[in-house]
Amino acid sequence: MGKKTGAHIVWDWNGTLFHDNDAIIGATNAAFAELGLEPITMEQYRALYCVPVPKFYERLMGRLPTDAEWEVMDETFHRYYAEHRVGCGLTEGAPELLSDWRSAGRSQSILSMYVHDELVPLVRGFGIEAHFIRVDGRTGPSGGSKAEHMVRHLASLAGVDPSRTVVIGDAADDAVAARHVGAGAVLYTGGSHGRASLEEVGVPVVDSLAEAVAEAERLAA
């Protein structure tokens, strides 16, 4: 693999490496239908989406969902998503970018808020698992922020310096999690957030994963 450079990327999965927008919006609308809410478009989703996820529902419902409503919506979302993710693939250029970063002697990992036991076989099924020194999905309740998960993720990576680490994701929360551990961040416009909301975060915003990797290389230099 060549000499280690010390630069490390923490990749987000959903909406970043995994282009699952169609499954996400379908699952969201299936969850809304359980409460009799009108479906939303992808454009509305990208304009309003935020974490924690109950706050996203509050923006659409005008109030926070009750615990019982949240449980129904969350279960419906994940059931629908699991059925429809099979039609989704990796984001354009992702396999080559992962291979090139690894071949240059740099390290990378995945930290996702998708369920760990579902994430690992999904990554493995695309034949890209060997590119990562660690793949972590969510092991606790859904709906929260990535920040504390990022603390544990980086602590588990031997020899990875947060100051030479860049988080690449599609949501403002990815940048918040990066800032929480002293890492850099690059946000990609092809997933859950539109450019306008991402630019409010104050980190580089790009339209392709190739641009994201180029920015990560610059930030980690």
Side-chain angles (χ1 to χ4, degrees):
M1 273 171 48
K3 190 171 185 285
K4 291 280 185 184
T5 66
H8 181 83
I9 291 175
V10 178
W11 290 95
D12 174 55
W13 179 248
N14 303 95
T16 304
L17 287 175
F18 189 43
H19 187 64
D20 58 352
N21 288 358
D22 288 346
I24 289 285
I25 192 64
T28 298
N29 283 330
F32 287 172
E34 288 292 320
L35 298 190
L37 299 174
E38 291 295 315
I40 63 170
T41 65
M42 193 68 213
E43 289 70 26
Q44 288 172 306
Y45 180 94
R46 283 159 52 81
L48 296 172
Y49 180 75
C50 65
V51 295
V53 178
K55 293 291 289 182
F56 167 55
Y57 290 151
E58 182 183 25
R59 290 180 173 185
L60 292 155
M61 297 169 64
R63 60 174 177 80
L64 280 169
T66 66
D67 290 346
E69 287 171 335
W70 164 251
E71 192 172 319
V72 168
M73 295 172 83
D74 191 48
E75 190 277 330
T76 302
F77 178 95
H78 286 98
R79 184 180 69 249
Y80 182 101
Y81 180 84
E83 293 170 1
H84 290 80
R85 72 181 188 200
V86 294
C88 303
L90 296 176
T91 300
E92 183 180 358
E96 295 79 12
L97 291 166
L98 296 172
S99 179
D100 290 349
W101 185 265
R102 181 186 178 206
S103 296
R106 305 180 180 106
S107 59
Q108 55 198 332
S109 58
I110 292 176
L111 176 61
S112 172
M113 297 298 280
Y114 191 47
V115 182
H116 182 77
D117 291 344
E118 300 282 343
L119 173 68
V120 172
L122 192 53
V123 172
R124 189 172 294 148
F126 282 112
I128 58 173
E129 186 182 22
H131 295 314
F132 307 105
I133 60 174
R134 189 175 181 92
V135 175
D136 280 336
R138 176 176 53 78
T139 55
S142 63
S145 172
K146 189 178 270 191
E148 291 306 320
H149 297 270
M150 187 68 73
V151 171
R152 292 190 291 272
H153 182 73
L154 284 190
S156 70
L157 303 179
V160 170
D161 179 358
S163 70
R164 302 287 312 282
T165 296
V166 178
V167 177
I168 297 178
D170 68 317
D173 190 52
D174 291 301
V176 171
R179 192 171 296 137
H180 191 66
V181 295
V186 181
L187 298 179
Y188 163 62
T189 63
S192 63
H193 282 39
R195 173 174 279 277
S197 59
L198 293 179
E199 288 180 338
E200 294 175 4
V201 186
V203 303
V205 176
V206 299
D207 297 320
S208 71
L209 294 191
E211 292 174 273
V213 170
E215 277 294 314
E217 191 168 2
R218 182 184 66 81
L219 292 171

